[in-house]
Amino acid sequence: MRRTILVTGGAGFIGSNFVLQRVAAGDRIINLDKLTYAGNLGNLADLRNHPGHVFVNGAIEDSELVGDLLRRHQASAIVNFAAESHVDRSILGPEEFIQTNVVGTFRLLEATLKHCRTLGAVEQRDFRFLHVSTDEVYGSLNSSDPGFREDTAYAPNSPYSASKASSDHLVRSYFHTYGLPVLTTNCSNNYGPYQFPEKLIPLMILNALNGKPLPVYGDGLNVRDWLYVEDHCRAIALVLEKGTPGQTYNIGGESEMKNIDVVRIVCSIMDELHPVGTPHESLLSFVADRPGHDRRYAVDCSKLKQELGWKPQETFVSGILKTVQWYLQHSEWIEAVTSGSYRNWIDTNYGSRVIA
């Protein structure tokens, strides 16, 4: 079914990949993004002047703007990617995370509820509000624990994950209290094209390209489930189309790996595609661990697979190769995002942690 969708945060990493997919599939996208450091219109360069994509520079906290966009464009769905999403940034400055992830989600819900009450019965029934969240709301696992399920108790351990947990609870409450037809997805660690280079995989690729140290937190044995971003976006579209209002769906890549092994695989691919004479693994540099660093995340996405028929199309092997190739082929994009403010952030976060 073709839709007009209001996408919030659609110039960010996951949001822009979703927008590109949905426009290609024939949906009309109204893209609301306030273009913070991680929002980048360069991610959407292929959609310049495309009739299926309307970009609006603004924030989800602006309820009047959101209501106007819903009304004027007759959107039948919202997909909410807008969020502050980096744990380290939340440790250094949590207030912005509360403002965007909690207050922003609240105001977005309020504007959506107000709009839905103006719709006819059929339009109300078919409207959807899909909230994109994270597996970090569930806390941390031991090595032998089963993966997070949709009914796993929330136990956030960072200001970032606490703010996302708060927003998840708000979304749930608007379904049970007001009947707003919401859906929530909780995903594992994403990787792929257009990811801002503060996150592990693009940071390793870019530092390896420039012969800089590859900083790995602690002992490097923290485990994450890795999800290729295009698989994630396909899952979101499926939940939007077929998901049951009020339900939560976990999305995982079924690719658990230790951080140190991820870095070594990136180094191996870089050795093959961008040889420099010495192994890139020689650039490894272990740094002091960050506070409250969750030891392991793992996602049980059997509900999504069994009820909606989804499965990832990429393995980590195929996805990471595509990712490294993309960054090697997009030097202009890299140059555009690695601004002075980005370099200052890297110095602030990693500069005092280097051990060896």
Side-chain angles (χ1 to χ4, degrees):
M1 180 174 66
R2 300 292 185 258
R3 286 182 178 266
T4 295
I5 306 171
L6 174 58
V7 174
T8 67
F13 164 46
I14 305 175
S16 62
N17 276 279
F18 180 80
V19 168
L20 291 166
Q21 270 193 16
R22 297 322 304 163
V23 171
D27 287 334
R28 182 168 179 259
I29 301 298
I30 314 304
N31 187 349
L32 177 65
D33 197 298
K34 64 179 179 180
L35 296 180
T36 58
Y37 74 95
N40 180 5
L41 285 178
N43 298 357
L44 302 163
D46 290 346
L47 299 181
R48 191 175 290 116
N49 300 321
H50 195 293
H53 179 247
V54 177
F55 180 77
V56 179
N57 186 1
I60 58 173
E61 296 94 323
D62 189 342
S63 298
E64 185 175 340
L65 173 61
V66 170
D68 178 66
L69 293 174
L70 289 170
R71 180 176 61 256
R72 189 151 45 91
H73 295 283
Q74 298 182 312
S76 62
I78 289 181
V79 179
N80 180 33
F81 293 98
E84 297 290 340
S85 64
H86 195 250
V87 173
D88 292 323
R89 287 182 182 268
S90 80
I91 293 170
L92 293 173
E95 184 171 353
E96 192 170 2
F97 286 72
I98 302 303
Q99 183 63 35
T100 298
N101 298 353
V102 182
V103 177
T105 300
F106 162 69
R107 291 183 176 164
L108 187 63
L109 286 163
E110 281 285 286
T112 306
L113 181 61
K114 183 178 179 180
H115 172 72
C116 281
R117 285 172 170 168
T118 70
L119 300 177
V122 174
E123 288 79 9
Q124 283 190 33
R125 182 198 66 198
D126 293 341
F127 193 92
R128 294 292 183 269
F129 181 109
L130 193 153
H131 176 65
V132 180
S133 191
T134 171
D135 60 356
E136 295 190 41
V137 299
Y138 298 121
S140 184
L141 294 170
N142 294 318
S143 60
S144 60
D145 290 337
F148 299 128
R149 292 166 44 92
E150 288 81 0
D151 56 3
T152 299
Y154 277 27
N157 291 321
S158 71
Y160 160 61
S161 56
S163 69
K164 288 298 290 183
S166 299
S167 67
D168 291 6
H169 291 320
L170 279 170
V171 171
R172 173 186 167 88
S173 75
Y174 271 66
F175 173 75
H176 287 280
T177 302
Y178 304 112
L180 190 68
V182 305
L183 300 152
T184 298
T185 58
N186 294 84
C187 69
S188 59
N189 278 36
N190 278 227
Y191 68 100
Y194 302 112
Q195 188 170 28
F196 191 77
E198 66 186 358
K199 299 298 180 77
L200 178 66
I201 288 175
L203 178 63
M204 296 303 111
I205 297 170
L206 269 59
N207 279 18
L209 268 174
N210 293 299
K212 295 181 178 180
L214 308 180
V216 178
Y217 284 139
D219 57 12
L221 300 183
N222 300 75
V223 174
R224 300 293 182 262
D225 174 37
W226 293 95
L227 172 64
Y228 190 64
V229 66
E230 293 181 7
D231 279 332
H232 183 196
C233 293
R234 282 186 280 267
I236 291 171
L238 185 61
V239 172
L240 186 64
E241 179 185 358
K242 296 183 178 180
T244 301
Q247 292 294 301
T248 296
Y249 298 88
N250 284 348
I251 307 172
E254 301 183 321
S255 297
E256 280 191 65
M257 298 193 68
K258 299 180 181 70
N259 286 348
I260 188 63
D261 292 336
V262 171
V263 175
R264 285 174 173 149
I265 290 172
V266 170
C267 288
S268 177
I269 296 172
M270 290 292 293
D271 288 342
E272 180 180 350
L273 301 183
H274 187 76
V276 292
T278 57
H280 286 89
E281 193 172 326
S282 65
L283 298 171
L284 271 174
S285 175
F286 290 91
V287 302
D289 212 349
R290 70 184 179 203
H293 195 182
D294 291 330
R295 194 60 170 171
R296 172 175 170 251
Y297 303 144
V299 174
D300 181 346
C301 52
S302 57
K303 176 180 177 178
L304 179 64
K305 296 170 71 175
Q306 292 168 7
E307 293 187 10
L308 303 187
W310 176 85
K311 64 178 180 179
Q313 294 183 13
E314 301 292 343
T315 64
F316 187 77
V317 172
S318 64
I320 194 62
L321 177 59
K322 288 183 176 182
T323 300
V324 175
Q325 289 173 330
W326 188 89
Y327 279 91
L328 292 178
Q329 294 165 3
H330 289 81
S331 57
E332 291 184 2
W333 183 91
I334 292 171
E335 179 64 28
V337 300
T338 51
S339 63
S341 60
Y342 163 69
R343 288 191 293 269
N344 291 340
W345 156 250
I346 293 297
D347 290 342
T348 298
N349 191 61
Y350 288 103
S352 62
R353 297 186 180 184
V354 175
I355 299 173

